[in-house]
Amino acid sequence: MTGNRRMLVLRAVVEDYIRSHEPIGSTALARRHDLGVSSATIRNDMAALEDEGYLTQPHTSAGRIPTEKGYRYFVDRLSTVMPMSPAQRSGIAAFLSGSVSLQDTLRRAARILSSITGQVAVVASPSLSKATLRHVELVPVASMALLAVVITDTGRVAQHTIGVRRMPAPDALAALGEAVNARCGGRPLTAAADLVRTLARDPRWQGHAALCESLADAFDGMADDEMAGELYVAGASRLAYQGSPDDLAPLFDALEEQVVIMRLMSELSAEHGAAGAGVAIGSETHTPGLMHASVVAGGYGNASETGDGTTDAGDGATASPVAFVGSIGPTHMDYAATIAAVRAVARYLTATVAAGGADTAEG
């Protein structure tokens, strides 16, 4: 029973510290929480929690604050994450529904998440490596150059210039485009590349084999380019009000390292699928600049691996996100509220991606 009560004391300390950002004493804890024991007993429990590494005493005051281990215990036992209110959800939808493109939606998503949490918000555009081909258009742009305009299922638009020795006649080029779309539509870009190479061996397209090979190489290049997705960041200035100057400089440096942030948030979101949110606290981020910060990230997009290697947004197989949305703040962040906000924005973005990015192109 003592161990259970001790953990209730830990939970109370974390909740009060998140709210006040001041060291918590046993007398204040006994007054605010119905723990059923005296402040002296609570003081003994807090001392035991300190010995076990869950709490620490920052200076000579009687108050204590949670350690990284204490926060981890608290986060792992968040029994319920209170959903956002209908008013908050409608506010998110209203703000994002005014978007004119997928880019604009993602930029707005970062801004609204930062506004809700008071922290840094990071939103990644869907990775081309996880996208499937919706449509490709082959457009002559010079006497010996074509532009392959690739539109994916997530609404992303990518462009690739292809050099040609001899420009196909307009009818032949249109027919080739139709053949590529018929054969490759709904396929991941790597699979589409393989299928286009089979076209190069088809007698009907023998005269355009080099073009087919170049288009296949373009698909492969897009699929391999993990960094083709853009990162939208909002709210960095809010950090100035939430941390000590000594903590802020390395944190701003970490935010500049977008590859590091993308890898961290991608791993967190992938671990929990497109329905949940992962949390990394301090040293768990394995990032020096985030030693005094926590990261909450969730995936959006619900891409599912199907039996033939393609992806869809259905309920058949295990869903994996096509991109992530996340929040970075101090270790004393309101974890429950941040997780709820990340999930709410991720759900909206999942719906947007399912609609093909609102059928809009990126600028």
Side-chain angles (χ1 to χ4, degrees), residues 18-41:
I18 285 173
R19 186 165 49 249
S20 70
H21 305 166
E22 295 290 338
I24 308 301
S26 58
T27 302
L29 218 56
R31 187 173 62 247
R32 293 190 192 120
H33 300 268
D34 183 17
L35 296 170
V37 292
S38 67
S39 60
T41 301

Side-chain angles (χ1 to χ4, degrees), residues 274-295:
V279 180
I281 303 168
S283 64
E284 296 172 356
T285 66
H286 305 294
T287 305
L290 299 176
M291 287 298 104
H292 302 285
S294 289
V295 177

Side-chain angles (χ1 to χ4, degrees), residues 74-105:
F74 174 81
V75 169
D76 287 346
R77 284 154 184 80
L78 275 175
S79 55
T80 57
V81 175
M82 291 298 292
M84 305 197 77
S85 68
Q88 289 173 315
R89 291 199 302 272
S90 63
I92 293 174
F95 184 73
L96 297 183
S97 63
S99 304
V100 297
S101 67
L102 179 61
Q103 267 188 330
D104 190 30
T105 299

Side-chain angles (χ1 to χ4, degrees), residues 19-348:
R19 186 165 49 249
S20 70
H21 305 166
E22 295 290 338
I24 308 301
S26 58
T27 302
L29 218 56
R31 187 173 62 247
R32 293 190 192 120
H33 300 268
D34 183 17
L35 296 170
V37 292
S38 67
S39 60
T41 301
I42 293 174
R43 188 159 51 250
N44 290 335
D45 285 341
M46 292 174 74
L49 287 165
E50 184 175 0
D51 290 341
E52 293 167 3
Y54 292 101
L55 298 177
T56 187
Q57 200 166 10
H59 41 74
T60 55
S61 75
R64 290 175 174 82
I65 65 175
T67 62
E68 189 176 295
K69 182 179 178 181
Y71 284 123
R72 171 49 60 192
Y73 182 91
F74 174 81
V75 169
D76 287 346
R77 284 154 184 80
L78 275 175
S79 55
T80 57
V81 175
M82 291 298 292
M84 305 197 77
S85 68
Q88 289 173 315
R89 291 199 302 272
S90 63
I92 293 174
F95 184 73
L96 297 183
S97 63
S99 304
V100 297
S101 67
L102 179 61
Q103 267 188 330
D104 190 30
T105 299
L106 301 178
R107 190 177 296 112
R108 285 171 176 246
R111 285 168 54 195
I112 192 68
L113 180 58
S114 175
S115 176
I116 293 169
T117 62
Q119 298 164 176
V120 175
V122 181
V123 180
S125 63
S127 167
L128 285 171
S129 66
K130 296 179 181 178
T132 61
L133 181 69
R134 176 189 287 180
H135 185 79
V136 63
E137 192 77 26
L138 301 175
V139 183
V141 291
S143 60
M144 300 179 69
L146 286 168
L147 188 66
V149 182
V150 176
I151 304 172
T152 72
D153 60 323
T154 59
R156 282 204 62 188
V157 177
Q159 300 178 353
H160 191 94
T161 302
I162 298 174
V164 293
R165 290 194 181 91
R166 180 175 58 85
M167 183 65 67
D171 289 349
L173 189 60
L176 178 60
E178 290 175 5
V180 170
N181 285 312
R183 184 167 295 196
C184 303
R187 302 281 184 162
L189 291 176
T190 49
D194 293 339
L195 290 170
V196 170
R197 289 190 176 96
T198 65
L199 282 179
R201 298 189 290 273
D202 188 321
R204 181 183 175 190
W205 307 109
Q206 193 168 11
H208 306 297
L211 173 54
C212 289
E213 288 290 346
S214 296
L215 181 58
D217 290 343
F219 284 164
D220 275 336
M222 292 175 189
D224 290 341
D225 190 1
E226 283 290 343
M227 299 314 299
E230 294 179 89
L231 209 59
Y232 300 89
V233 181
S237 62
R238 297 175 185 270
L239 290 175
Y241 304 99
Q242 299 196 46
S244 68
D246 291 340
D247 296 342
L248 289 177
L251 183 49
F252 281 123
D253 289 342
L255 290 174
E256 289 295 318
E257 295 291 334
Q258 293 198 351
V259 175
V260 174
I261 297 297
M262 288 189 78
R263 184 179 300 114
L264 171 60
M265 290 195 169
S266 293
E267 290 173 354
L268 280 175
S269 60
E271 286 174 12
H272 293 266
V279 180
I281 303 168
S283 64
E284 296 172 356
T285 66
H286 305 294
T287 305
L290 299 176
M291 287 298 104
H292 302 285
S294 289
V295 177
V296 177
Y300 71 87
N302 286 343
S304 300
E305 293 294 332
T306 61
D308 61 359
T310 64
T311 61
D312 61 40
D315 298 324
T318 302
S320 62
V322 298
F324 63 79
V325 52
S327 183
I328 302 173
T331 52
H332 59 256
M333 70 164 62
D334 186 336
Y335 289 95
T338 301
I339 291 171
V342 166
R343 286 179 175 176
V345 173
R347 277 194 296 270
Y348 187 94

